[in-house]
Amino acid sequence: MTEVSSLTGRLLVATPALADPNFDRAVVLLLDHDEEGSLGVVLNRPTPVTVGDILEPWAALAGEPGVVFQGGPVSLDSALGVAVIPGFEGPSPSSQLRSSRGDPIGWRRVYGAIGLVDLEAPPELLAAALGSLRIFAGYSGWGPGQLENELSDGAWYVVESEPGDVSSPEPESLWRAVLRRQRSELAMVATYPDDPSLN
């Protein structure tokens, strides 16, 4: 098997040609990508369910719009927390709030300042450090080689993520916003109509 170059921390942006309704205009943050498969969460699928409805202790730390997001079609009954901790790499004011790896307790770095939150941990452990928190119901998953096949079929654009993508206050416009900031012909794709037949 050929070695897989990790795309962890990158965004998968659905191309207009992607036919799967689960991923129509989706922006997926890859949390893990290696030869065993890939796992990510869709950043632009807010649900009407508030964080307080299912994880009340974390509600005060969740960024606007304060709702649970559908992370993907897999395990919709499970919750995943993704948080940005700005500047966490710097010296800690309180070393007892850090794990042995240097990460804040209850948070595991994925890429840059983006990491996974242990939703079983007491929220007050992370309250002072969190820049933003999103709660996802379910996730998006691919088996070995499956994502690579979709990439070669032209289903996804792969672009760099920015910490603000996780906490975009206007998630419904994230697909266009991410494409628009690209310094290539991808910026033009942002103007693609929702329904090309009306063009």
Side-chain angles (χ1 to χ4, degrees):
M1 178 174 215
T2 60
E3 186 177 321
V4 173
S5 174
S6 181
L7 300 177
T8 299
R10 298 268 191 83
L11 295 178
L12 299 177
V13 181
T15 68
L18 183 58
D20 184 341
N22 288 309
F23 296 110
D24 182 45
R25 303 260 171 143
V27 178
V28 178
L29 173 66
L30 280 176
L31 301 171
D32 192 24
H33 176 250
D34 58 26
E35 64 279 345
E36 294 176 20
S38 307
L39 181 142
V41 288
V42 178
L43 298 178
N44 57 337
R45 292 280 192 277
T47 72
V49 179
T50 69
V51 173
D53 289 340
I54 61 160
L55 287 169
E56 199 279 325
W58 291 96
L61 299 177
E64 287 303 317
V67 297
V68 175
F69 282 66
Q70 184 174 336
V74 184
S75 293
L76 288 171
D77 57 345
S78 65
L80 247 160
V82 177
V84 174
I85 298 190
F88 91 97
E89 302 92 346
S92 171
S94 175
S95 59
Q96 72 264 21
L97 295 178
R98 299 282 174 143
S99 70
S100 59
R101 291 177 8 167
D103 297 346
I105 290 176
W107 181 84
R108 182 176 61 83
R109 178 181 164 160
V110 170
Y111 180 83
I114 301 167
L116 287 169
V117 173
D118 177 0
L119 296 173
E120 300 292 320
E124 52 274 13
L125 279 180
L126 281 169
L130 281 186
S132 61
L133 169 69
R134 277 276 153 84
I135 303 294
F136 297 90
Y139 63 91
S140 304
W142 294 264
Q146 190 179 0
L147 179 57
E148 288 72 22
N149 290 338
E150 290 183 15
L151 290 172
S152 45
D153 288 345
W156 301 99
Y157 303 121
V158 179
V159 301
E160 294 296 326
S161 64
E162 294 180 2
D165 296 332
V166 171
S167 58
S168 171
E170 296 177 355
E172 294 89 350
S173 62
L174 191 61
W175 186 84
R176 288 190 195 281
V178 168
L179 289 171
R180 201 173 292 121
R181 74 178 184 228
Q182 303 308 309
R183 297 177 185 266
S184 65
E185 65 277 359
L186 282 187
M188 289 299 294
V189 179
T191 64
Y192 197 84
D194 290 332
D195 185 351
S197 68
L198 299 177
N199 206 4

